[in-house]
Structure formats: C-alpha cells, structure tokens
Amino acid sequence: MRKAGLLSHPKEKLNTFKLGATKLEGALAKDSGNAEYHFLRLIIQEHAPKVVHYNKDQERDAQMVTNAFPTLSPALKQAILNYCPHSKLLHERALNG
C-alpha cells in the first residue's frame, strides 16, 4: 500500500493500493487479535486519500491498539508512541493509562 504512493500513474497507484489493502485485510481476517496489524491499518487509514474509501475502521483499530498496548513488545510500543503526535485517534496519555 505504501508502494502505491511512489508510483506515477494513477491507475497503477490505485491497483497497487487495492492489492495491498486486500493483503492486509486477509492478514487481519486470519489474526484479528494482532494489534500490530491494527496499528498498520490505522496508520494507512489516517493517511489514505479519501477517494480510495479506506477509512472505515479507524476508531476500532485505535481502540484495539490502546487496549493491547501494555502487552506489546517494547519496539512496537515505541513505534506507536512515536506515531501518536501524527495521529488524530491515538494519544499518548490514553496509552499510558
């Protein structure tokens, strides 16, 4: 999905984004409790152009990340904390309780 932003032709961008979205949604379907997948989807949803209509699960993903935060690896916790200033839905004070 990230690769789509690096392409130059709009049709290629959309097709690449959709392919990535399908893969991520498939991974989430297999492991719906994986907070890292929810975090990745949240980041993508918050930055995806409105035209791709990929923004429906933002609040659920943010809640999943917030709930799972205490049990995550230190590296993932740091990545989430680093992202908080750029997020509309993830806030450091909510993560730290």
Side-chain angles (χ1 to χ4, degrees):
M1 294 167 87
R2 178 72 180 114
K3 181 181 174 184
L6 304 174
L7 300 173
S8 56
H9 299 329
K11 188 172 183 170
E12 279 183 276
K13 283 184 174 195
L14 184 59
N15 289 338
T16 302
F17 185 88
K18 285 182 178 180
L19 179 63
T22 301
K23 288 180 179 180
L24 180 55
E25 293 300 325
L28 275 162
K30 288 180 185 174
D31 189 4
S32 62
N34 188 320
E36 187 170 359
Y37 291 159
H38 287 279
F39 176 55
L40 290 171
R41 183 168 70 177
L42 176 63
I43 293 170
I44 293 165
Q45 289 181 114
E46 285 193 322
H47 293 94
K50 291 182 190 217
V51 70
V52 297
H53 304 289
Y54 195 70
N55 58 3
K56 294 176 180 40
D57 297 307
Q58 291 183 48
E59 289 181 21
R60 190 176 102 206
D61 289 340
Q63 189 63 48
M64 175 68 132
V65 171
T66 301
N67 291 343
F69 188 78
T71 65
L72 300 176
S73 71
L76 183 53
K77 283 182 177 180
Q78 191 57 53
I80 292 168
L81 291 172
N82 290 344
Y83 179 69
C84 283
H86 308 285
S87 177
K88 295 176 185 113
L89 298 170
L90 284 180
H91 305 288
E92 187 172 346
R93 67 181 172 274
L95 296 172
N96 289 323

